[in-house]
Amino acid sequence: MCRHKQMLPATVQVFQRGWLSSNNVLFTGRDATALIDSGYLTHAPQTLALVQHGLQGRRLDRLINTHLHSDHCGGNAMLQASYGSHTAIPAAEADKVRNWDVAALSFKATGQRCERFSFDATLAPGDKLVLGDLQWQALGAPGHDPHSLIFYCAEEKILISADALWENGFGVIFPELDGASGFTEARATLELIASLPVRLVIPGHGAPFADVKAALKRAFSRLDYLAADPQRNSQNAVKVMLKFLLLERQQLALADVPALLASIPVLEQANHRFLQKTPQELAQWAVSQLLRAAAARIEGDSLFNEG
């Protein structure tokens, strides 16, 4: 249950999910319904059930994605099959989805899965839309993902921040892993958010929160730390990606971890550019980090998800 439910308009519901799936934001306006982000593929049946319950017999008219990482769009296909929802995606991703280029869409690069879906429209920074009988504006939020959008409602001072800002940090700065610029863009996105009068943030992961000033302070500090040494962003990505694999599979044979990490192109590039560890060294380091954080445990010859 959203701990800030009382701060949400009656037409907005937030389904807070685990870290494998993004949060889902459901809008039930007088004339139309909509959902922002649909979670990961393996959670799609659960996403559908949550949406069905929230809609109370209505159809899902619109489906919108903040960005096309697999944990934000993995339920698209099932929702489209169930409702035929009009779907809008970030404009820069249109050709990739049209041609279903899994490498360009990052699914192959991150070793993650997503069932093919279609789209009906695109959204770009500056676009305005009505969701839940409220006016929202799409804003560009590069950094974590070059093409990510966030959505701001000036009337309610609510920001749907995707992975640009969480209560404690933000998503991995993926562009930096293969040598592209990301830290500068992430800082500009945080500065944009800081310029907005916001009373409630609905993040892509974690609970909605009201202390935006404190969250931004933590985010800027985290960004300064990562940008000071690019190895740190790469190390963070390795830990996050291994945890994602554990969340999806719940159990991994320890002997398989080196090959699994080596098979994920974005991690292979990050290791080659910044970490320069053998597959075995990288796996041992990543496993030790998850154990240290109590995010995994070892039983016998296997690594298990924890927490």
Side-chain angles (χ1 to χ4, degrees):
M1 180 178 177
C2 172
R3 71 171 184 258
H4 290 294
K5 185 176 180 180
Q6 70 277 9
M7 298 180 68
L8 292 169
T11 58
V12 181
Q13 301 175 59
V14 177
F15 303 140
Q16 184 183 339
R17 311 295 293 275
W19 284 87
L20 184 62
S21 281
S22 68
N23 293 338
N24 320 123
V25 187
L26 181 66
F27 302 88
T28 50
R30 289 185 299 271
D31 300 321
T33 64
L35 186 78
I36 290 183
D37 288 342
S38 64
Y40 191 61
L41 173 64
T42 55
H43 283 177
Q46 184 185 46
T47 301
L48 178 60
L50 288 167
V51 169
Q52 287 173 333
H53 184 265
L55 289 174
Q56 294 293 298
R58 298 179 65 180
R59 293 185 54 78
L60 181 63
D61 299 307
R62 302 178 68 183
L63 175 59
I64 297 163
N65 294 120
T66 57
H67 61 298
L68 297 187
H69 287 169
S70 59
D71 56 330
H72 290 256
C73 61
N76 281 17
M78 182 170 285
L79 290 170
Q80 289 177 344
S82 299
Y83 292 109
S85 307
H86 180 280
T87 302
I89 63 172
E93 307 282 34
D95 286 342
K96 303 171 193 175
V97 174
R98 189 178 292 114
N99 299 321
W100 202 245
D101 186 340
V102 294
L105 282 166
S106 86
F107 307 142
K108 183 177 181 180
T110 57
Q112 297 169 8
R113 298 181 294 139
C114 186
E115 186 176 351
R116 184 168 187 169
F117 59 85
S118 59
F119 70 96
D120 304 286
T122 61
L123 290 170
D127 285 352
K128 296 180 180 180
L129 55 166
V130 176
L131 302 169
D133 303 329
L134 299 167
Q135 291 279 348
W136 297 79
Q137 183 173 18
L139 303 171
H144 166 68
D145 177 89
H147 312 303
S148 181
L149 299 172
I150 56 179
F151 297 93
Y152 178 64
C153 176
E155 179 183 351
E156 292 285 342
K157 296 182 174 62
I158 295 176
L159 179 71
I160 298 171
S161 64
D163 292 342
L165 177 67
W166 302 334
E167 189 168 17
N168 291 290
F170 42 77
V172 173
I173 309 299
F174 279 106
E176 290 282 344
L177 298 178
D178 60 6
S181 178
F183 295 140
T184 299
E185 290 77 3
R187 184 174 302 280
T189 293
L190 292 176
E191 290 171 348
L192 169 63
I193 293 172
S195 74
L196 300 171
V198 178
R199 68 178 182 89
L200 184 68
V201 174
I202 303 172
H205 299 271
F209 58 92
D211 195 345
V212 185
K213 184 177 180 180
L216 282 166
K217 183 178 180 179
R218 288 189 290 270
F220 278 117
S221 177
R222 175 69 171 165
L223 185 60
D224 288 342
Y225 171 80
L226 294 174
D229 182 353
Q231 277 197 1
R232 295 168 176 168
N233 186 54
S234 297
Q235 290 170 338
N236 181 50
V238 173
K239 290 185 290 185
V240 167
M241 298 301 288
L242 179 56
K243 178 63 175 178
F244 193 94
L245 285 169
L246 271 179
L247 284 166
E248 181 180 14
R249 306 183 191 186
Q250 292 300 307
Q251 175 184 353
L252 295 171
L254 285 167
D256 293 341
V257 175
L260 275 173
L261 295 181
S263 72
I264 299 174
V266 71
L267 295 188
E268 192 279 330
Q269 293 170 11
N271 187 36
H272 176 74
R273 292 180 61 88
F274 300 111
L275 305 178
Q276 298 179 340
K277 295 179 181 289
T278 67
Q280 290 73 23
E281 289 171 342
L282 187 65
Q284 289 172 0
W285 178 85
V287 168
S288 72
Q289 293 299 302
L290 294 192
L291 294 175
R292 181 180 177 184
R297 71 181 191 278
I298 291 176
E299 290 184 11
D301 296 327
S302 294
L303 186 68
F304 289 84
N305 185 51
E306 189 81 0

